[in-house]
Amino acid sequence: MPPTDSLRIMLRLGLLVLCCLYGVLADTPAHCLFEDIKGTWTFQETERSGDNTLNCDTLGPIVHTKNFTLSFPNTAMDELGNEGTWTMIWNQGFEVNINERSYFAFSYYEGDFTSSTSYCDRTFNGWSRDKTMRNWSCYGAQKNTPVRARKSQKLTTPAEKLAQKYKNDEKMINDINASQKSWTAKAYPEIEKYTVAEMLNRGGGPGSVLPYPPSPAPASEELKAKISLLPDNFDWRNVEGVNYIAPVRDQGSCGSCYTFASMGQVEARLRIATKNQRQDVLSPQDAVSCSVLSQGCAGGFNFLIAGRYAQDQGLVAEECNAYDATDSACDTDTSCARTYVSDYSYLGGYYGACNEELMLQALIELGPLSVSYQVYDDFYNYNGGIYHHTEFKNDFNPFEMVNHAVLLVGYGVEPSTGEKFWTVKNSWGDTWGESGYFRIRRGTNECSIESMAVDITAIP
């Protein structure tokens, strides 16, 4: 699928101006909420004769006009009473699945990360295709009732501050270690090669801020009963002595955590499904450089890459487009075979339906999950233990709270304290944290980690 020129041009022009000041940023400046999107929409759609290379820069002649009503929590209904489902994609857009077709578009905005206006009652041009991934079309959507324009500012730190070199804060590290015993912090001299903007990018990027992350959904009593029968500890790196997780990698200064989490999830699911006969290392760069569903090194979403992109376009091996941590042009070897997923969703069925119990069940029954959580400045200096946010701040570096995508591989209980934790694979190299992994408090939605898990089914 080639990039949508209008969206790409707006993003690239905005980034061209901002890169000189801020380094690489993340995601889009759009900020739309559930209440903005729910309601009745008119979708205007072109002829359904395209394939997955369809360019939707312009719509062309409108052939199909459909009205869809999007209701709480995830019901979509057309004008004839046919029902389907829908979900928000963070605060960036929404996907509708109805009448054996799937629709996705980003919400419309004007501006950039320093100042933007989101027009949440309309979309950029998006893509529609049937359930077999055939019969593609372009569409645009307009809500039938107006929504007040939403102004937002995802970057508040002055340019000169973001451009300065990152510095470890020994006072913050000492305060963290003196204030609690759950986890330890240390200085990482090697990260001082990055600017503050690049460090923010490693954590997801300033554009990935979610002012109102969803809370975990309540778990049913039936689910709680099932979860009570699970083992106290589980880790896909050691299931009866077998490791199903690919090695830790380093995303560098590119805001590509969403691609590493996505590739890691598909890699693990393939290893599990084939009993380690397939041990693919998949290409994050292909998604960074080639996917219209991402914004390259400017960020993106694991739902759209591990899910929609992997289903629509497929993923390739690392050697087909080697990772270079830049916004390089798409040059994936077109002769390479592609790996696909057959299904994807937010855990629980829609954005906002996730909880600890569903994550535990899916982790054991299905495999590792790509998850997102809020990164605070104390997290960058995590050394080991069970992380929780301490509220200590790095006095040397200005900070924007960001959201980071990572791979959930296990869970457990600390024997000496009884503290519950998740075990998570990061993409900051194997010298960081616990050999590239970290543990984070479980059962309290620490940093929103229990509210945004993505599930997929990989095709071996």
Side-chain angles (χ1 to χ4, degrees), residues 38 61 86 197 209 213 223 227 236 296 334 351 370 383 403-404 448 460:
K38 70 176 181 179
W86 74 286
V209 171
L223 179 57
I227 296 307
W236 279 106
T334 56
Y351 182 71
S370 57
N383 179 44
N403 279 275
H404 188 40
S448 300

Side-chain angles (χ1 to χ4, degrees), residues 272-330:
I272 293 166
T274 65
K275 295 181 170 56
N276 267 336
Q277 293 303 300
R278 283 191 64 171
Q279 296 196 16
D280 302 55
V281 176
L282 298 171
S283 169
Q285 194 66 46
D286 174 69
V288 167
S289 296
C290 305
S291 176
V292 70
L293 300 179
S294 80
Q295 284 78 57
C297 275
F301 302 92
N302 41 346
F303 177 92
L304 292 176
I305 299 304
R308 195 172 184 96
Y309 184 66
Q311 185 176 78
D312 289 352
Q313 310 296 329
L315 311 175
V316 298
E318 170 66 13
E319 57 266 26
C320 299
N321 193 340
Y323 187 67
D324 62 18
T326 70
D327 250 334
S328 54
C330 178

Side-chain angles (χ1 to χ4, degrees), residues 252-269:
S253 60
C254 176
S256 55
C257 59
Y258 66 101
T259 67
F260 281 90
S262 297
M263 301 307 129
Q265 184 173 20
V266 177
E267 291 164 355
R269 296 295 181 92

Side-chain angles (χ1 to χ4, degrees), residues 77-141:
M77 181 179 293
D78 70 11
E79 62 269 33
L80 301 177
N82 299 307
E83 288 194 5
T85 61
W86 74 286
T87 183
M88 297 281 295
I89 313 299
W90 281 40
N91 57 356
Q92 303 281 290
F94 60 98
E95 180 183 82
V96 178
N97 293 285
I98 191 170
N99 298 333
E100 299 300 313
R101 293 191 68 80
S102 183
Y103 300 81
F104 170 74
F106 287 103
S107 294
Y108 188 80
Y109 70 89
E110 294 177 354
D112 55 38
F113 295 100
T114 61
S115 179
S116 65
T117 302
S118 298
Y119 298 93
C120 301
D121 52 7
R122 59 180 291 199
T123 69
F124 284 100
N125 294 343
W127 304 266
S128 172
R129 42 83 174 161
D130 67 22
K131 289 295 186 180
T132 69
M133 269 58 72
R134 298 182 178 91
N135 303 311
W136 286 66
S137 63
C138 301
Y139 80 97

